[in-house]
Amino acid sequence: GVISVGIDLIPMSAEFDSRSVTQSHLGAKGENSGAATSGTNKGTVDVDKHITFYIQPGVQIDSDTTAFVTLGYVTADVETDVQSVSSTNKVVSDTLDGTKLGVGVKRSTDFGFMKVEFAKTDYDPISVTTSNNTKVTGDIDNTALTLSFGKAF
């Protein structure tokens, strides 16, 4: 068998997920004379420094082709921004962790190698609660089919 190890780094920031929910609230008698309030609660997750550490055990199919599985650990810095109707906005910085599992084929070429891989990444859930108990929870997963070109050194 063949074993590859590696690190994938995404050096830029990106918005990972954004959700919003519109709500209305009828005040109780005596509370603002029963006045209604409405608006939108929003939650956004921005990701930075996304790193995957992986190992790819494989089986040689022929002299130039290897079938492999990917087992990986994923980590990233996240900033969660919650905007609440009640103006109890909150920004939280945290770390997002997860696991990556995939299968693929790697083929040697004249310029290096190319890989085709199907992988799923399961990130741990993250949540933020504002001072008035508005809770925003995200459970983000990713499925990808990738084509990569590289050079072994």
Side-chain angles (χ1 to χ4, degrees):
V2 178
I3 295 181
S4 299
V5 294
I7 299 172
D8 285 337
L9 168 66
I10 302 173
M12 58 195 100
S13 298
E15 185 177 284
F16 219 49
D17 199 12
S18 182
R19 305 284 173 154
S20 61
V21 175
T22 302
Q23 75 176 36
S24 296
H25 172 71
L26 295 175
K29 286 187 176 184
E31 179 185 306
N32 294 331
S33 302
T37 59
S38 65
T40 303
N41 292 322
K42 298 178 186 176
T44 304
V45 177
D46 292 322
V47 178
D48 190 30
K49 298 179 190 142
H50 188 283
I51 301 170
T52 304
F53 302 94
Y54 64 86
I55 184 168
Q56 291 176 327
V59 176
Q60 198 85 28
I61 295 173
D62 63 34
S63 62
D64 293 328
T65 309
T66 303
F68 64 87
V69 297
T70 300
L71 309 168
Y73 168 77
V74 181
T75 186
D77 293 339
V78 294
E79 184 174 274
T80 306
D81 183 2
V82 177
Q83 298 173 8
S84 175
V85 171
S86 61
S87 300
T88 56
N89 301 348
K90 188 172 187 179
V91 176
V92 175
S93 296
D94 204 352
T95 301
L96 180 66
D97 296 314
T99 55
K100 178 179 179 178
L101 299 174
V103 294
V105 177
K106 179 177 174 181
R107 181 152 179 92
S108 297
T109 65
D110 293 338
F111 60 83
F113 65 87
M114 69 177 204
K115 284 196 305 190
V116 176
E117 179 183 23
F118 176 79
K120 290 189 174 204
T121 304
D122 180 17
Y123 296 93
D124 293 340
I126 55 173
S127 67
V128 175
T129 304
T130 64
S131 60
N132 75 337
N133 290 328
T134 299
K135 185 175 185 177
V136 176
T137 301
D139 187 7
I140 304 164
D141 298 326
N142 184 46
T143 302
L145 177 64
T146 59
L147 173 64
S148 305
F149 299 92
K151 181 106 177 123
F153 54 94

